[in-house]
Amino acid sequence: MSCRTCSGILKRVLPLFAASCLLGCKPTSSPVKQAPLPAVQVLKVQDASPAKAVFVGHYEASRSIPLAPTQAGRLTTVSVVSGQYVHQDDVLAVFEDRLLLEVAAQAQGEVDAALAELNQAAATYKRSRGLDAIGGLSSGTVEERASSWRLAQGKYKSALAALTQAQIQVAETRIRAPEDGRVISVTVVPGSLVGAGSEIMRLSAGAPEVHLKVPASSSWTVGDAAEVSVPVGPNGLSVHAVIREISAVDEASQTQDVKLRLEHPLSVSVNSLVTVSLAPHEVSHVARVPLTALVSEDQTHAHLWGVTEGQEPHLVLRRVRIAGLRGADALVEGLTTSERIVTNGDASFHQDQAVQCVSQVSER
């Protein structure tokens, strides 16, 4: 081929080649950018319904009886120690009684003298009756002897009353158990000078029961069931009990005193600590969720956002009822266990909105 021919061919081909290069290097159109999905934190709903409520209680007798002397005196003998079981009329302590015994002896002597005087006056009056009718004695003399007899009767009754009082005072120097029970405290020692009405010991009596405190917001009532056990008891045995009494709310501590009646006594000493399990009332299923997940509607109603399962999660509006608060969390009704909810709610969220679950906070 001649050079002239080659040159012509190149002249025709080169423009076409350049055009094709220009077409091949033309930039492609940019794809449309999509807005990023909102990122949400989610957690799985956990059942927060309590199985039971556990408290610490005191195992006590139903009655606590303080014992004290009715008159001041010096204590000579203490016959019991704390923790000792005693029976009704057992002597627990004795006070000095020497002076009182002397008073009682003197009162007894006055009774004897008054009785002798009464007997003599009665015999004289008996002999005098009727003599005034036959002229043996004047009516005035008979009436005078009748008055002496009545006066002797009064003196005798007065002497008897003084003797009884002295005997009572002597008897009160002996502090006796008013009923069967256990001594729970002794606050004096022999030789102590004790004032009238000052407690020297305390006796627990009656059937044992359990005392405890519960929060004022609790809804337990008289007759509700409970289980009582000893923290270190053998074989973990427990005793069935029922609530016998609930006090009014203490405004200072916001608690209530509860007394339980036991099915049978525990095998521990009085004043021991025990564990009390109170059965919860029948309530709807509740879940524990963070307060940040809730959008309140009123005091007891709110809504939050649930998240669907799958590769493309979407928001679902869930309405709930607030059953209570636990610190930074709320107890709510209306959710099912293991469903996922959003913990960082936003006012811009809407139903069926697609979201990105970037992380899952710890379960509650």
Side-chain angles (χ1 to χ4, degrees), residues 1-25:
M1 184 180 293
S2 64
C3 292
R4 186 184 297 266
T5 302
C6 292
S7 175
I9 293 173
L10 290 174
K11 287 180 180 180
R12 291 194 300 270
V13 172
L14 286 176
L16 294 174
F17 180 76
S20 64
C21 290
L22 290 174
L23 291 173
C25 296

Side-chain angles (χ1 to χ4, degrees), residues 38-42 307 315 342-344 349 355-360:
V40 296
Q41 288 184 330
V42 300
V307 180
L315 296 179
V342 177
T343 62
N344 57 333
F349 288 165
V355 293
Q356 178 186 6
C357 301
V358 296
S359 64
Q360 179 166 313

Side-chain angles (χ1 to χ4, degrees), residues 25 82 117 147 238 267 276 303:
C25 296
S82 182
E117 184 177 344
S147 297
S238 61
S267 57
V276 179
H303 66 265

Side-chain angles (χ1 to χ4, degrees), residues 317-335:
L317 183 66
R318 301 302 308 272
R319 298 191 181 278
V320 295
R321 179 182 178 277
I322 301 174
L325 300 178
R326 292 278 180 84
D329 297 335
L331 300 178
V332 301
E333 302 172 1
L335 298 177

Side-chain angles (χ1 to χ4, degrees), residues 207-252:
E209 59 185 21
V210 172
H211 299 173
L212 66 147
K213 291 182 179 293
V214 299
S217 58
S218 303
S219 57
W220 288 290
T221 59
V222 173
D224 286 347
E227 292 292 326
V228 179
S229 60
V230 182
V232 293
N235 304 322
L237 296 178
S238 61
V239 174
H240 179 70
V242 295
I243 295 179
R244 179 179 71 82
E245 179 183 324
I246 298 181
S247 72
V249 176
D250 179 70
E251 296 298 334

Side-chain angles (χ1 to χ4, degrees), residues 252-321:
S253 63
Q254 285 298 299
T255 60
Q256 293 176 278
D257 292 321
V258 176
K259 296 181 180 180
L260 303 179
R261 182 174 63 251
L262 300 174
E263 189 175 62
H264 58 78
L266 293 168
S267 57
V268 294
S269 61
V270 175
N271 289 335
S272 296
L273 294 179
V274 295
T275 300
V276 179
S277 299
L278 291 173
H281 288 272
E282 293 296 329
V283 296
S284 302
H285 166 81
V286 295
R288 185 169 180 170
V289 301
L291 289 172
T292 55
L294 295 177
V295 179
S296 297
E297 298 175 357
D298 54 42
Q299 290 185 345
T300 57
H301 296 85
H303 66 265
L304 50 75
W305 294 101
V307 180
T308 61
E309 300 288 345
Q311 296 295 326
E312 298 180 356
H314 289 72
L315 296 179
V316 179
L317 183 66
R318 301 302 308 272
R319 298 191 181 278
V320 295
R321 179 182 178 277

